[in-house]
Amino acid sequence: MPNFGLISLLARNDLRARYRGAVIGKLWLVVTPLVTLVLYSMVFSTIFKARWEFLGASVYMNYAIVLFPGLMMHQLMMELLQKGAMAYDAYSPITTKLNISVRDLILGAVLASLIPFWITIVLWYVIACVLFGASMQGLAMVLAVTLAFSAFCTALTLLSTVFGALLKDWVQLLAMIGMGLLFISPILYPVDHLPERFQKFIYLNPLSHFVDFIRHGAFQPDVPISMLSLLPIVLMTVVALGVSMWLERVLTRFTND
């Protein structure tokens, strides 16, 4: 079983080290997403004059509000995949000297990335509520999708750990995978901008499902949604967690032997 006390301590130490010596310290956890969102709004409203006509976002500045959660989710996924890819090389010297499992070290690093992501999503949702209104259904959906996505990314980190230990080219492959996950998804554009025959293929990218549902919770909370449509998210999360934990356990036994 994971040592949750150790995981929490590792995450706190990681965040403390990240902001040690900074003038405003951990306030950067709030300042960074706010500044990023303001910059996105300025760029897309004054330079690109981009519009996002669906989800009620029809003015220029609202493009950034719609764009923002998808970019943050993609950033988190790629950050954790990179952490997982380098985990065994980074943590093996520690685990040989201390009675600490690699999994606990990885989960500590994951939690240190999830905390800023959660703060970012909270700030984004508050701003979305101010612009578009709030509802309990929308809040529940945003929370559920955020937690499911966090669990899914945790599973991907463990899978990336296994791939990184077995395939040294995995780190380099992640750069190309990251570009594919970004552009073959509804992060930068609505799905209906694609030709109809290609629209279904975009949902082979697991990120597409999470992005769609978190936007639905923020911008269309009163539009009914069937439980069946949530099935892909639930299945992806459960299967990824089960497979990743099993493979990581197998790899740990193999390396110990």
Side-chain angles (χ1 to χ4, degrees):
M1 288 293 293
N3 186 336
F4 295 106
L6 176 61
I7 292 169
S8 176
L9 176 63
L10 291 170
R12 290 199 302 270
N13 288 341
D14 189 309
L15 292 173
R16 192 178 296 118
R18 190 180 305 179
Y19 299 105
R20 183 179 293 121
V23 175
I24 61 174
K26 293 180 181 178
L27 280 176
W28 282 114
L29 290 168
V30 176
V31 172
T32 299
L34 287 177
V35 171
T36 303
L37 189 52
V38 169
L39 289 175
Y40 283 170
S41 298
M42 291 174 59
V43 169
F44 289 112
S45 63
T46 61
I47 300 176
F48 295 116
K49 294 188 181 297
R51 288 180 182 268
W52 202 302
E53 296 292 349
F54 84 128
L55 295 179
S58 59
V59 297
Y60 294 131
M61 67 174 294
N62 289 346
Y63 183 92
I65 303 297
V66 180
L67 180 74
F68 191 73
L71 287 178
M72 294 302 101
M73 295 169 92
H74 176 265
Q75 177 180 305
L76 174 71
M77 180 180 287
M78 296 314 302
E79 178 183 337
L80 291 180
L81 283 170
Q82 290 284 350
K83 282 187 175 183
M86 298 181 289
Y88 263 95
D89 289 339
Y91 298 145
S92 291
I94 300 175
T95 56
T96 55
K97 297 178 182 179
L98 303 174
N99 188 23
I100 301 176
S101 72
V102 174
R103 182 188 296 174
D104 288 343
L105 292 170
I106 295 170
L107 293 178
V110 168
L111 183 58
S113 293
L114 286 177
I115 291 172
F117 171 72
W118 292 336
I119 293 172
T120 297
I121 292 298
V122 168
L123 292 172
W124 162 76
Y125 183 64
V126 169
I127 295 172
C129 288
V130 171
L131 293 175
F132 300 100
S135 74
M136 291 305 297
Q137 297 97 317
L139 175 61
M141 178 172 286
V142 170
L143 286 175
V145 173
T146 300
L147 292 175
F149 184 69
S150 300
F152 182 70
C153 285
T154 301
L156 290 185
T157 308
L158 294 174
L159 284 173
S160 186
T161 301
V162 176
F163 295 155
L166 300 177
L167 181 64
K168 295 306 178 184
D169 294 325
W170 178 240
V171 175
Q172 284 69 37
L173 288 172
L174 282 176
M176 292 182 286
I177 292 172
M179 285 190 292
L181 290 173
L182 177 63
F183 291 112
I184 308 174
S185 73
I187 292 177
L188 301 175
Y189 52 84
V191 175
D192 56 16
H193 281 195
L194 291 172
E196 188 174 352
R197 64 181 180 277
F198 294 131
Q199 290 181 13
K200 59 183 178 181
F201 293 108
I202 207 168
Y203 289 101
L204 295 176
N205 179 356
L207 192 57
S208 300
H209 298 274
F210 291 101
V211 172
D212 270 0
F213 280 113
I214 200 168
R215 285 174 176 164
H216 189 101
F219 305 118
Q220 293 180 311
D222 298 325
V223 176
I225 188 169
S226 68
M227 295 303 296
L228 187 62
S229 62
L230 294 173
L231 189 60
I233 285 181
V234 175
L235 284 178
M236 285 190 300
T237 303
V238 172
V239 171
L241 281 171
V243 172
S244 63
M245 293 177 67
W246 177 73
L247 284 177
E248 194 276 334
R249 191 179 300 115
V250 170
L251 180 62
T252 301
R253 291 176 179 172
F254 177 77
T255 54
N256 288 339
D257 292 340

